Every structure is written in C-alpha cells, then in structure tokens.
Amino acid sequence: MTRLQARGLSKRFGSRVAVRDVSFELDPGAVLAIIGPNGAGKTTLLSMLAGGLAPSAGELRVPAEGGVGWVPQQTAVYSKLSVAENLRLFARLERVADVEAAVAGMLDQAGLRERADEPVGRLSGGNRQRVNIAIGLIADPSVLLLDEPSSALDPRQRARLWEFILTRVAGGTSVAFATHDIAEAERYAGQLLVLADGEMLFAGPPQGLRGAEHGSDLERAFVAFLAERGH
Amino acid sequence: MGLALRALLAKDLRILGRSPALAALLIIYPIAIALLIGLALSSSPALPRVAFLNEIPPDQATVQLGRESINTTTYERRLFQAIQPVPVATRAQAIADVRSGATIAALIIPAELPQELASASQTAYVDVIYNNNAVNQSLVEQAIESKLAQANAALAAQLSRVADSYIDLLLKGGNLNFLGSTYKILGLVRAHSLLQAITAELPPSSPVRPRVEQVESFAEVAVQHLGGSKAVIGAVAEPIGVKQEVLSGHRTPLNDYAVAVAVSVSLMFVCILLASGMLALEREEGTLARLRRGLVPAGLLLGAKALLAAIVGFAVSFAMLAGIGIFVPLDWARVGLWIASIAVGSVAFATLGVAMGAIVRDLRAASLLALFVSLPLVFLALVPSAAVSSALFDAIRIISAIFPFKPALEALDAAINQSQPSLLEALGHLAALIAGFGVVARLALRG
C-alpha cells in the first residue's frame, strides 16, 4: 500500500470529542490542506496520523514503506545543537541506515549546507523551520505531516519553505498540512479537508468549496461555508 | 534501545557542555564547597580578642591551703583556651582597649584573688569589662563562663582534697602546722580507744562512769560519721557528673556528620535540578512530543535523563567528598561504601528530579519546584527529635521518609562514619523511593 488512508477516525478526551469520524485518502505526491477555525481538531487529527495520539475509534493505514514524518507547529529542535547535530540525532533515533549520507542529503535539500555547523538557536525563524521540517524528512518518509508550517514566517521565508517542500512532493512524498492561511492552502494543496468542532465538513478540491456567489475569493467562501453550517 | 540511550546521553552531555555557566558551576561548585567545608572543619574557630591583666605579683601566684598548693596561673591558662589574650600593663589600658574596640572585652585578675582563695570564706572574683555590644558581650561571656566553670570545678576538687586532709587529721590524728607552730592532734579514733580503756578500768559504781561513757559514745558516733562526710564533700565538688553511652552503632563526630550533610545536599541539588531541568528543557524546546511520537519510549527517555543527572551528580559529589578528605581525616578504606551510597543516592535524587520535570511544563517552573521541595527537606531531615513535640516529629519523620534526602544522608553517614541505620537499610529505602518516583514520573509524562 502506498497511500495514507483514514477511515472514521475519532478522538475523545474524556467526555469531549476532539475529532469525529474523519475519513480521507492521500495519494503519493498529493498535497492536502487541513483548514478550520481554532479548536477545530486540526492538530489532534495530525497527531493521530503521526502516531503520537492513539485514535479512540476508526482505522488508519500508513504506507508500508517510508512511514510518516511529522513536523509539529512549534519548532521542535535543540537550539544548543548545530543544524547537522540535530539532523544526526534524529537520523539515529529513526534508525536511518546511513546517517551521514542522510544528513548530507537533507542539508543540501533544505539549503542549509552552509549553516550546518551553526547552533539552531542562532538561525532565523525561516531557517529554524526548515531544520524543523528537515528533521521530519530525515528518515525519507512517504507521508509528511506539517502543523501550520509557515505561521511564523514572512512571505519570502514562506516561499522558500514551500519551494523546499514541493521538491519533496515532486519526488513522490505526500504532504498533509494544517493551516489558517486559506491562500496558502489554495496555492499549494490539491485537496482541502475542512474541520470545525472536530467534525469533517468538507473534503475535496478547493474549487468545490468556492461557491458561485464568492467568485474567486476562497477565504470568503470558506467563512460563508462555515457560517452556513453554524460555525 | 542501547543505541537510542547512547544518542540521548551524548546529546544531553553536548547540550550541557554548551551551557558554559552551568558547566562552570558544576566544576567550580564542588571545589568551592569542598574548600570551604574543609577549611571550616579543619581550622580552629577564631577566639575573641580580650585585653588581659594579671595584677597578682608573681611571687604570690601560689596559694597554700593546708597541704595543697594552688597555682593561680594554672587557671589563667584555662581561660586562655577560650580567648585570645592581649596583654596590657594597667587596668586603665585594658578599659581603653575595650572602649576603642581594639579588644572586645577585658579580663582582669585582681591582686587580692590569692588571699580571697586562701581565706576560703569568701568568693574570689575576676573582673570582666565589656563594651556595649550585646553580641560581643554574649560571645565573651559564654567563652569565659564555660572555662571559668571548668576552673571552678577543678578548684572545688582541690579544695575538697584540702578538706579531706583536715578530716583525716581529725579522725586519725597527726601534726597540724599553723602560723609557724606545730600542734600534735590526738585524733578521734585514738580518743575513742583511750576512752574505752578508761571506761573498762573504772569500777561500775564510779560516779564519773556515766559521763565518760557518754563522751566515749559521742567519739564512736563522730568517728563513724566524719568518715562519711568526705564522700559528701566530694559530691559537692562535682554534684552531677555525666556518663556517656551510645545505645547502638557508632557515634558520629559532628565534623564527620557535617561532611555527610554537605555532600548529600550537593548531591541532591545537582541531581534534582539537572534531571528536572533537562526533562523540562525537552518540553520547552518542543522536542518531547517529537521524541514521544514512537521514536523513544517514555521509560527510556526518563531513564536517560535520570542516568545523566545521576552520573554528573555522582562525579560532583565524589569530587567534593575527596576534596574535603584533604582537610578532614576520612577513612579511605571505606571508599567502596562511599561510592555505593553516593551512586544509589544520586539515582534516587535524579528519579525525583525527572518526576518533577515530567509534572511541570517549563524549565523555570522545574527549577523553582526543585528548590521549593528540596530546601525544606534538608531542614526537616536535620530537625533533632528533642527540638519538637513527638507528634510533630512523627510527621516530620514520615515526610522525610517519602523523599530521598534523609535516607541518602543516612546512607552516606553510614558509609563514612559507620552510623545507624545500616548502609544496607538506607540503600533499601532509597531503592524503594527510586521505584516509587519512577512510577510517578512515568504517569506524569503520559499526561
């Protein structure tokens, strides 16, 4: 199996339902944007897909080869370690066969070769996020999950970050990312998944969400879509 | 598993090495503390400077009481054990020194002291002059009074021997030298024998016989009871003595106990702060969630943090103990037991540290929690049972028993000083706490 499949995924925290009955599929080389208001369950869904949270119900199938790489919303890197040391550590923990080759390859792909020996704490926000994503990719996963990857970046840094992600997509890596930036979702994602209060309200291409009355403005269409459904 | 543990340990050591302030602290701290404690325990406390004037002419320093000679300079030397004497020539100079602060008090032995002692009918006095500083006065007062009490006790014993010799003379007879003349004393024992012989020779009808018998009976009673009075005088010289007995084990000298306390406190702070801090740092950097996503099992992550803190804590504490050993004589033949007690103690403190790090959310909170929990534990563990009510002491004992400081201190004390409870008992207690706090840490990390 080469695609990610989620069937009826749900997650409860006590009596509170964080995610209810979410189903979708993600093909190799496809990009899925998960959008929704705050508290919709986007991070919970990504955590379940990443294996960090066990679903309360439903079924999850991940590609047999490569597995899943996860990039949390907060940059999860050791600021006192250099870029290369961070990558090397996670390559070892991921049991990558050739650690040094994987680190060298990732430094090149992320455009961080010249910054390899700099402590991550001294890097700009954009470069720190690239390290964050590079760690998620160090084991060469078939699926990359990103939680609001560009939320703290300026437009130039965001463009460079997506350039890096899209080179992986071109190589066949599937990407699912959560975002509040509707324009970013529309620009990079072939599919949208709309969540509100843990419920999946929409799954499909961006064009499907855009109503005729909102013209080309997906953000207005998205807000109207939620309002029509009481969110 | 081994690969992941090695990778995590190497990473944490590298991070520690790149925190220059923390690394310097870990190296400087044991050296500084070892030096301070070593110097404090090996050097004598500074004695208060006291102006000293002895007004007794040298040829009158010895007082003759009966057959006993009392040399007042002997008692002068006793006082010098408690003060640093600054000799002065006159009473006025002594007072001037105290006023100016050159000395914190003045001690003057008046010229009439030997006569007052010789009279044995009045108390002999030494004069002590203070400035108006209450702390200084208390310091000198305690030092002088303590040594004066010892001198008085020795003097009382000497006076008691003088009284004994007079009683012996009264009982057994002999020669009494007084004002240059020698008097022959019959003695009550011989007087009683003479009276018995006279009574035997008197006819039963003699009119003086009842009166002689009365005197003979008095002599007999006097002989019996005067002998007992020597014991009474001896008891007055030292009414209450102290016989010391330690119920079990080996009594730890205070200096050696101070070493065990200092090393235990350092071990606790290094291990708890490091373990809680390193785990809280993972949370703060956001890496905890990444590691917990199937990369590293929770038990391994907690174990790696505890192991690192325990290794560093062990190294720091052992270096400190060895450093103190330069100044304070320690039994190096027991070094294996020191190592065992420090090693188990460090794991116990480190496990408590990771439990704290797992409970709190950030580095500052972890450090604060570590300090707030650790400091009271030290005070509680050192509260002597006699200082508080039995109910409160029971509560303190329970609290001390559920945290590692008290058993770690007991283990180290047993290893260094062979004290009670035994090392094995203390190590068993620590092992139980390691298991308990390990479970707490595991549950807290799940939340």
Side-chain angles (χ1 to χ4, degrees):
Chain A
M1 191 194 62
T2 55
R3 61 170 61 169
L4 177 78
Q5 291 180 328
R7 291 271 175 275
L9 279 187
S10 296
K11 181 66 186 175
R12 284 178 174 276
F13 294 105
S15 59
R16 188 175 72 84
V17 181
V19 172
R20 181 185 294 121
D21 196 23
V22 172
S23 301
F24 69 93
E25 290 186 356
L26 189 60
D27 290 325
V31 179
L32 168 74
I34 303 168
I35 56 176
N38 284 334
K42 302 187 291 291
T43 298
T44 305
L45 176 60
L46 281 177
S47 296
M48 282 193 287
L49 299 177
L53 270 181
S56 306
E59 188 186 353
L60 176 67
R61 288 187 179 180
V62 295
E65 281 186 21
V68 175
W70 181 55
V71 181
Q73 182 178 356
Q74 181 198 355
T75 49
V77 293
Y78 296 102
S79 51
K80 294 241 180 232
L81 298 187
S82 70
V83 174
E85 285 167 343
N86 267 287
L87 292 172
R88 202 171 286 126
L89 169 69
F90 283 99
R92 288 201 176 109
L93 293 176
E94 295 269 16
R95 293 174 185 78
V96 170
D98 189 343
V99 170
E100 292 309 319
V103 170
M106 196 48 63
L107 285 171
D108 287 335
Q109 284 182 45
L112 291 166
R113 164 67 65 190
E114 289 180 2
R115 300 290 184 87
D117 297 325
E118 264 188 59
V120 172
R122 282 199 216 146
L123 300 180
S124 66
N127 281 336
R128 258 206 303 271
Q129 183 62 312
R130 280 204 275 172
V131 178
N132 196 30
I133 293 171
I135 289 171
L137 288 167
I138 192 74
D140 196 19
S142 334
V143 179
L144 179 64
L145 306 170
L146 303 130
D147 195 354
E148 300 194 31
S150 61
S151 58
L153 304 182
D154 64 35
R156 193 170 57 95
Q157 288 173 327
R158 196 177 301 157
R160 288 180 64 198
L161 178 71
W162 274 106
E163 195 183 316
F164 169 43
I165 295 169
L166 292 176
T167 56
R168 299 295 303 211
V169 172
T173 304
S174 312
V175 171
F177 69 102
T179 184
H180 280 296
D181 186 338
I182 306 302
E184 183 179 51
E186 185 178 24
R187 189 173 305 131
Y188 300 111
Q191 293 178 71
L192 293 183
L193 195 154
V194 178
L195 284 181
D197 290 335
E199 200 173 342
M200 191 176 81
L201 301 180
F202 174 84
Q207 295 80 358
L209 192 65
R210 193 183 290 124
E213 69 272 23
H214 300 295
S216 60
D217 191 339
L218 185 65
E219 186 155 345
R220 286 180 63 196
F222 169 65
V223 173
F225 177 85
L226 289 179
E228 282 164 17
R229 284 154 184 80
H231 295 287
Chain B
M1 183 77 95
L3 188 77
L5 181 65
R6 277 205 303 277
L8 288 174
L9 280 175
K11 179 263 294 179
D12 283 339
L13 276 174
R14 197 167 282 140
I15 289 174
L16 267 184
R18 288 180 190 166
S19 310
L22 183 58
L25 188 71
L26 287 173
I27 294 166
I28 293 167
Y29 178 80
I31 296 170
I33 297 289
L35 277 175
L36 281 174
I37 291 174
L39 288 172
L41 295 182
S42 59
S43 60
S44 309
L47 298 175
R49 280 167 59 81
V50 175
F52 178 73
L53 173 64
N54 187 350
E55 293 179 329
I56 304 171
D59 60 331
Q60 292 173 26
T62 302
V63 180
Q64 195 66 37
L65 275 173
R67 291 176 204 165
E68 292 279 332
S69 297
I70 298 173
N71 190 340
T72 53
T73 53
T74 309
Y75 300 102
E76 185 181 289
R77 281 199 293 275
R78 276 181 191 272
L79 287 171
F80 288 176
Q81 291 171 0
I83 60 169
Q84 184 191 340
V86 179
V88 289
T90 62
R91 185 174 279 259
Q93 192 187 338
I95 293 169
D97 278 1
V98 175
R99 274 194 209 287
S100 70
T103 59
I104 61 174
L107 175 62
I108 299 167
I109 301 188
E112 57 274 21
L113 186 94
Q115 289 74 40
E116 287 172 349
L117 275 176
S119 76
S121 60
Q122 56 180 312
T123 307
Y125 288 98
V126 296
D127 297 333
V128 185
I129 299 162
Y130 302 106
N131 60 18
N132 60 359
N133 184 315
V135 176
N136 285 346
Q137 180 169 341
S138 162
L139 188 68
V140 180
E141 238 171 31
Q142 284 173 17
I144 289 179
E145 280 177 5
S146 140
K147 290 298 167 189
L148 212 53
Q150 289 177 13
N152 274 336
L155 200 55
Q158 214 167 353
L159 289 172
S160 146
R161 283 199 296 276
V162 173
D164 282 359
S165 69
Y166 283 125
I167 290 167
D168 279 344
L169 188 65
L170 268 175
L171 279 171
K172 296 169 188 166
N175 294 325
L176 172 66
N177 298 316
F178 186 67
L179 296 174
S181 304
T182 301
Y183 300 91
K184 196 165 177 61
I185 306 293
L186 177 64
L188 281 167
V189 174
R190 284 174 63 200
H192 178 241
S193 304
L194 284 173
L195 286 168
Q196 266 186 323
I198 292 166
T199 309
E201 286 172 13
L202 282 174
S205 58
S206 170
V208 294
R209 188 181 179 100
R211 279 177 281 170
V212 174
E213 278 178 344
Q214 213 175 354
V215 177
E216 185 212 325
S217 167
F218 164 74
E220 189 180 0
V221 171
V223 167
Q224 284 169 0
H225 292 281
L226 211 53
S229 67
K230 285 166 68 176
V232 173
I233 290 169
V236 170
E238 190 181 358
I240 300 173
V242 177
K243 278 187 183 173
Q244 294 194 56
E245 186 185 354
V246 180
L247 283 181
S248 60
H250 172 82
R251 193 180 74 86
T252 302
L254 196 57
N255 279 2
D256 294 358
Y257 187 64
V259 171
V261 171
V263 175
S264 301
V265 169
S266 305
L267 182 65
M268 176 182 71
F269 278 121
V270 172
C271 290
I272 293 184
L273 283 172
L274 209 54
S276 62
M278 292 303 283
L279 190 60
L281 185 70
E282 294 281 5
R283 218 190 275 271
E284 205 165 87
E285 298 256 50
T287 45
L288 183 65
R290 188 162 235 161
L291 294 175
R292 293 280 293 111
R293 194 190 61 82
L295 283 186
V296 180
L300 181 65
L301 181 63
L302 292 169
K305 300 292 173 198
L307 187 60
L308 177 83
I311 289 170
V312 176
F314 176 86
V316 168
S317 305
F318 187 76
M320 191 176 149
L321 186 56
I324 293 172
I326 297 170
F327 301 94
V328 179
L330 298 174
D331 183 3
W332 281 88
R334 298 174 66 79
V335 69
L337 300 178
W338 304 355
I339 289 173
S341 65
I342 296 176
V344 179
S346 64
V347 174
F349 285 130
T351 313
L352 173 61
V354 290
M356 288 178 182
I359 290 166
V360 297
R361 298 277 148 184
D362 66 76
L363 196 55
R364 280 159 293 278
S367 305
L368 273 178
L369 182 66
L371 287 173
F372 284 158
V373 170
S374 307
L375 279 175
L377 288 179
V378 175
F379 292 121
L380 289 180
L382 297 178
V383 170
S385 58
V388 292
S389 70
S390 62
L392 184 56
F393 188 69
D394 284 344
I396 287 173
R397 266 202 329 199
I398 292 168
I399 294 168
S400 294
I402 56 177
F403 288 97
F405 181 75
K406 186 79 183 278
L409 174 61
E410 287 171 348
L412 195 56
D413 193 20
I416 297 174
N417 305 311
Q418 304 177 50
S419 66
Q420 290 291 324
S422 73
L423 178 61
L424 213 58
E425 202 178 318
L427 293 184
H429 188 166
L430 286 170
L433 291 178
I434 290 168
F437 283 112
V439 171
V440 172
R442 182 67 191 84
L443 291 174
L445 201 62
R446 202 173 58 174

